[in-house]
Amino acid sequence: MRILERLEQLYAIGGGPGANRPHPGPGEDEAFELAAGWMSDAGLEVEVDRHGNLLGRSSEHPEVWVGSHLDTVPQGGKFDGALGVVAGIEAAELAGAGTVVAFRGEEVGCVGSHALVASGDPLPAVFLELHVEQGPVLADRDAPLGVVTGIVGYARGELVFRGRAGHAGTTPMEGREDALVGAAGAILAIRDAAAGLDGAVATVGQVAVEPGGVNVIPGSVRISVDARAPDAETLDRLVAAIGVDPAQRTEPVAMGARVRGALSEELAALGLSAVELPSGAGHDAGILAATGVESGMLFVRSLNGGVSHSPDELSSDEDVALAVEVLTATLRRLSARRT
Ligand code: GLV
Ligand code: MN
Ligand code: MN
């Protein structure tokens, strides 16, 4: 299948292990160049908008967009983001309609889609995003595909802990002010705060220790916080419990009823049950939905226990083929409704 070969080509950028196309960077740029060539081969009119997002427009219903992102986390997987772009190119070519979009910098806060909605530039009428589930729900339900009901809200920020740097060998344990010991306590409290709120999760993924010597008591520590919840009230409570002042916040958002309905109808046409599930990951579809664009997402079953943001991320060739079929049919249906 051509899209599997394309996923391999994207995965090879940056030399591994895993997918390495962080935003901004040469890996993401190289992926955009490859995708621009594929869009052009598919007969789409290629354009890069002033925010760096890549668009490939058909002449029929260019206001219906389909796509995802091409950047990855460090040592990411083969499917996150990339699948939605390569499948979108396939779907637009087969349906003879729609605009394929590759947004910039999704992994670092949906940079490209945020810039687009903030700019006042014309937005799509409809946005459809195919993505791997990145969790175990569909595998547990024995379902290859699922329709996303909504996307959790998330808040990201930093906490800084200050102590007193000193000699690791000569400073008695009593009376030390070790900033990393303070941060360690806070990290455990962050875990407990999220565990105590229904549907909430929180993660510390980065720890920067100063001055960072093996024989120096840490004088200051900066940690990242990524906190998520399915509704705004729970997110407020989680943020307050953690005590972080978020530099970035994205509200939880529901997917549009029309796109959800169209996806469910196409699943039913193939005799598949329309499993519905929320997304715990952020997506460009959430940014567009929050600004009023009719948006929806189709999830493909993730294998290996649903692992993602890891080179172990996996979906089967059969599920991917089925997903492209449903994506194409849904793009056709959404375009036809607009004539
Ligand atoms: C994006 O993948 C996110 O949810 O962090
Ligand atoms: Mn993604
Ligand atoms: Mn991701």
Side-chain angles (χ1 to χ4, degrees):
M1 213 189 336
R2 185 168 68 173
I3 76 167
L4 299 177
E5 284 158 25
R6 289 179 171 177
L7 288 176
E8 292 296 340
Q9 269 180 276
L10 290 167
Y11 195 59
I13 293 172
N20 287 291
R21 307 189 300 271
H23 172 87
E28 189 193 39
D29 293 346
E30 198 178 327
F32 269 62
E33 274 164 36
L34 268 180
W38 297 332
M39 287 176 177
S40 172
D41 292 346
L44 304 171
E45 191 184 317
V46 178
E47 175 196 326
V48 175
D49 73 11
R50 62 191 172 117
H51 320 292
N53 302 312
L54 176 66
L55 300 158
R57 295 183 199 279
S58 320
S59 48
E60 298 297 315
H61 296 288
E63 75 283 5
V64 178
W65 288 19
V66 59
S68 192
H69 61 97
L70 289 171
D71 64 313
T72 68
V73 296
Q75 299 183 24
K78 195 178 293 173
F79 299 86
D80 180 358
L83 176 63
V85 175
V86 295
I89 295 171
E90 205 73 13
E93 185 172 13
L94 290 168
T99 290
V100 186
V101 59
F103 285 112
R104 284 277 175 182
E106 190 277 343
E107 298 290 2
V108 288
C110 296
V111 172
S113 52
H114 266 304
L116 173 67
V117 304
S119 67
D121 290 352
L123 295 173
V126 180
F127 179 54
L128 181 58
E129 182 168 2
L130 168 64
H131 206 283
V132 279
E133 181 203 330
Q134 309 179 276
V137 175
L138 293 174
D140 289 349
R141 304 266 299 262
D142 219 5
L145 303 174
V147 178
V148 177
T149 51
I151 298 176
V152 295
Y154 62 90
R156 289 182 183 157
E158 284 185 344
L159 290 173
V160 177
F161 300 83
R162 301 211 186 277
R164 198 171 65 241
H167 196 293
T170 60
T171 314
M173 291 309 287
E174 205 182 290
R176 284 189 185 206
E177 289 173 41
D178 183 327
L180 187 52
V181 171
I187 291 169
L188 294 173
I190 289 168
R191 178 199 59 185
D192 294 344
L197 290 168
D198 206 23
V201 292
T203 305
V204 174
Q206 294 173 333
V207 178
V209 181
E210 293 287 334
V214 284
N215 56 353
V216 184
I217 298 166
S220 88
V221 172
R222 183 179 296 271
I223 65 172
S224 65
V225 178
D226 175 305
R228 307 189 189 207
D231 59 88
E233 192 198 325
T234 307
L235 187 57
D236 285 344
R237 288 171 63 195
L238 180 60
V239 166
I242 292 171
V244 66
D245 181 15
Q248 235 185 61
R249 176 168 167 142
T250 300
E251 296 304 321
V253 65
M255 293 291 94
R258 277 186 38 231
V259 182
R260 277 170 67 178
L263 286 165
S264 298
E265 284 168 43
E266 291 305 335
L267 290 176
L270 289 175
L272 295 166
S273 62
V275 174
E276 297 204 313
L277 71 171
S279 171
H283 296 288
D284 295 303
I287 308 306
L288 291 168
T291 196
V293 175
E294 174 72 28
S295 304
M297 293 191 76
L298 177 66
F299 270 177
V300 187
R301 169 166 53 191
S302 291
L303 304 177
N304 285 342
V307 68
S308 185
H309 285 182
S310 151
D312 293 333
E313 185 176 83
L314 185 67
S315 290
S316 75
D317 296 359
E318 297 72 31
D319 288 357
V320 166
L322 203 55
V324 174
E325 195 177 334
V326 172
L327 188 74
T328 306
T330 307
L331 177 58
R332 274 201 187 104
R333 185 182 285 263
L334 291 169
S335 302
R337 278 188 190 165
R338 301 187 55 78
T339 44

